[in-house]
Amino acid sequence: MVIPAGFGPSRVIEINNMRESHHTQSTRTVISDNSNVKLKKATTIALQDPLLAVALFIGSTLTALGHHLYYRSLNETSVDSEGQQVWAIRIGTGLAFLTRSGLAATLGIIAVQQSWATLRKRAMTIGGIDSMFGIMSNPWLFFNTDLLMHAKRLCALAAISWLLPLIAITTPATLSVYSHANQIESSLKVPFLNFSDTRGWATYEGWGSVSGVGPEISRLFTSVYTSNTFAPLTPPFPNASYDLEFWGPSYKCTSLEEFIEKNNTRTWSLSDFNYTSVEQAFYGQVGSWVSPDNSSLSGKEYVYTAVSATPLNNTLFIGASGFNTLWNSTSHNARLVCQLYNASYGITVGFDNGTPFIRENAVENLELQNWDGIRGVRALGFANNGTCAPDPESNNATVCLTYYVFHSVFRDFLAGSIFINSVGDIAYDDGDAVHSIGSTPLFHSGLMDCPEIRNSTTLFSGTGTDTSVLNTFNRCRNQTLASAIEDLSRNFTYSLMTYRNWEDVQTQVPVAITSPVNFFSYNERYLLAAYLTAVILTLVCITVGLAALMDNGFTGSTVFSAMLLTTRNPDLDRLAENNYLGEKPLPKVVGKTRLQFGIIGTRETMPHAGFGLEGTVRPLGDMLKTKPNNGD
């Protein structure tokens, strides 16, 4: 043997003597009766890990409670900004992850104590022991049969730990956002009507007499009768509404029978209109074909005729050969008298996502416009300068140039005759010439769908074989010709709020503005259910861990030093030969070797707690709690 410098024979002999002395002293400490072997040091339970587990559990519970209180404070409150909504979800998600992390860490500490308790009681394969120490971080280890058979409590702890992330998914989702219509009121200027304002309403000839209807009024009326509704208004906001009250023109249509029952007396001079009664004037102007007694419809086969003579004082006589069960009980021929009134309007103008609608709250006919066309054409335009004013020559009725033009528009639209001509075609006579039915404004409107016209057998006789030209699309508003004319007159009045020459005619009204507002909605039932489930299960696991800790008698650990100190065993050293890297996969021979944690040692070695081969390990029992004798 090579002796290092400075080491002489005497030094070598001294070292050998020390070794022998140490061996002799060690041997004395080995008790021949192995059943009474005592550890050098009694174990105690270190409180750091148990206290940490309790602190994590309490902190997680308080975090869950804070999550609940935070979401409840947001419930049914408005979302003021996108950033507020984003941060509410972020904070809720953060609190959920903190709760989950704290509970998972608590279960991790408990799992360590349960692992040592399991290894003390039974032998397990090294593969099973590997699964025990790795199950909290690797779910694949659940498939180890030795683990499932001999470490059921630990598997339950690990399963709960792996399911805890569900609370970080479900609980943030208990706060949602829903949209609710919120209404505010603001005073705004909106379009209005002023029938004393005659700008653009008429064309004039000498001495200020009205010669015709202004082009913009004609265009506006054309859009109304072709669209079968009022001209769309410009919304102040996409969803808004406001109430208006005003007066304006409106027609009232009644049956001839009802009209003459109330007033059959003439209101005109016989020199101007040679009829002695309203009934005589009606049949004289419209024609005898519309008489109830004339069922044969001899001569010209009429479908429709409307007349507005100047002496009739803003009145229209209308006859139609169709039949409408909603109108009367006669077999054919409708007879209508339509008169212009000054009406009071109470309406609500509303907008639904920009689409306008008008709701009639109260429309009442007030004054019959009982003045003739001469006053409208001559005296009004010159004497009153176009403004609405009482006219002494018309029994002080309020006469408006705009009302006269209004009646002129409807007279030009309705007056005329539809009949079957000599060649069997449908023709239209406006009083000046005969035209094709396709050129008449009435044919372009929804009035043609009214049963009083649509149901005329005469009308269908002029269509030849193609009766689809008269297919109805149910555009007759209110289902009768009388109601449809009244409805058209009101829609035209409403449309005058879009009249371009009246763009500066406005009024200040309260406008109810409805806009969608986002609100938080918190479903506390699901959040509390998720958190209570997690907290209760963790509390049960803490009880299991406490029992394992008390049963062990010491605070276990899975750190490297714990593995180092509990694997000091010659048997394990031989098992580790040629397998020193600890790489995967674990050799089958090593993995199937069964170990148990307990007292290991021989007569030549000091007994200590550690892992040993099955059959070579004695239970720890109460020896871990035995206090050492004085001098040990």
Side-chain angles (χ1 to χ4, degrees), residues 320-578:
S321 62
F323 173 66
N324 187 347
T325 56
L326 297 177
W327 181 247
N328 56 33
S329 59
T330 58
S331 59
H332 58 77
N333 298 352
R335 294 163 297 280
L336 305 177
V337 178
C338 297
Q339 291 181 295
L340 184 65
Y341 277 80
N342 181 37
S344 65
Y345 287 85
I347 65 172
T348 296
V349 180
F351 302 89
D352 184 5
N353 292 323
T355 302
F357 66 88
I358 292 179
R359 182 174 64 247
E360 295 179 343
N361 302 319
V363 179
E364 181 182 358
N365 295 318
L366 299 177
E367 301 170 340
L368 175 64
Q369 296 301 285
N370 191 19
W371 40 270
D372 59 28
I374 296 176
R375 301 303 301 159
V377 171
R378 297 179 182 175
L380 179 65
F382 180 77
N384 293 334
N385 197 25
T387 62
C388 298
D391 186 357
E393 296 190 28
S394 299
N395 296 322
N396 287 320
T398 300
V399 179
C400 297
L401 171 64
T402 50
Y403 276 45
Y404 170 75
V405 176
F406 191 98
H407 180 68
S408 298
V409 168
F410 272 81
R411 179 192 60 207
D412 295 342
F413 170 69
L414 293 171
S417 296
I418 300 175
F419 61 96
I420 306 301
N421 62 17
S422 58
V423 296
D425 189 18
I426 304 174
Y428 171 70
D429 186 354
D430 62 5
D432 296 326
V434 176
H435 309 275
S436 169
I437 186 63
S439 64
T440 175
L442 185 65
F443 196 75
H444 303 157
S445 72
L447 299 186
M448 287 298 295
D449 281 355
C450 292
E452 290 85 350
I453 300 176
R454 174 67 173 72
N455 290 342
S456 171
T457 56
T458 304
L459 181 64
F460 278 89
S461 68
T463 61
T465 59
D466 184 15
T467 57
S468 64
V469 70
L470 297 178
N471 283 348
T472 180
F473 296 97
N474 199 29
R475 295 187 305 154
C476 180
R477 293 171 64 99
N478 301 321
Q479 306 307 310
T480 68
L481 182 60
S483 297
I485 293 173
E486 293 174 351
D487 184 80
L488 179 61
S489 70
R490 293 194 297 270
N491 277 335
F492 183 43
T493 298
Y494 303 145
S495 300
L496 290 170
M497 287 187 283
T498 68
Y499 178 47
R500 292 189 177 184
N501 287 321
W502 282 0
E503 288 179 342
D504 59 342
V505 179
Q506 297 178 328
T507 185
Q508 192 98 5
V509 295
V511 178
I513 303 168
T514 304
S515 59
V517 177
N518 291 333
F519 287 87
F520 287 111
S521 177
Y522 167 44
N523 191 331
E524 66 177 33
R525 180 185 302 176
Y526 291 126
L527 181 138
L528 292 177
Y531 277 143
L532 283 175
T533 301
V535 168
I536 291 173
L537 289 176
T538 305
L539 187 60
V540 172
C541 293
I542 289 177
T543 305
V544 172
L546 180 62
L549 181 65
M550 300 303 295
D551 191 29
N552 289 336
F554 65 93
T555 304
S557 173
T558 57
V559 297
F560 173 73
S561 61
M563 297 299 102
L564 175 68
L565 297 176
T566 57
T567 55
R568 303 299 88 205
N569 188 339
D571 294 334
L572 299 185
D573 292 340
R574 288 190 295 273
L575 184 65
E577 291 180 0
N578 299 321

Side-chain angles (χ1 to χ4, degrees), residues 86-105:
V86 171
W87 275 106
I89 300 300
R90 286 175 180 172
I91 293 173
T93 303
L95 292 173
F97 271 96
L98 282 176
T99 304
R100 174 260 174 190
S101 299
L103 295 178

Side-chain angles (χ1 to χ4, degrees), residues 212-230:
V213 178
E216 191 62 32
I217 291 294
S218 295
R219 295 190 194 100
L220 182 59
F221 182 69
T222 300
S223 70
V224 173
Y225 74 70
T226 54
S227 65
N228 216 35
T229 186
F230 58 88

Side-chain angles (χ1 to χ4, degrees), residues 47 59 147 156-157 279 284 301 323 358 369 372:
L47 297 179
L147 172 71
L157 290 173
E279 182 178 14
E301 297 188 37
F323 173 66
I358 292 179
Q369 296 301 285
D372 59 28

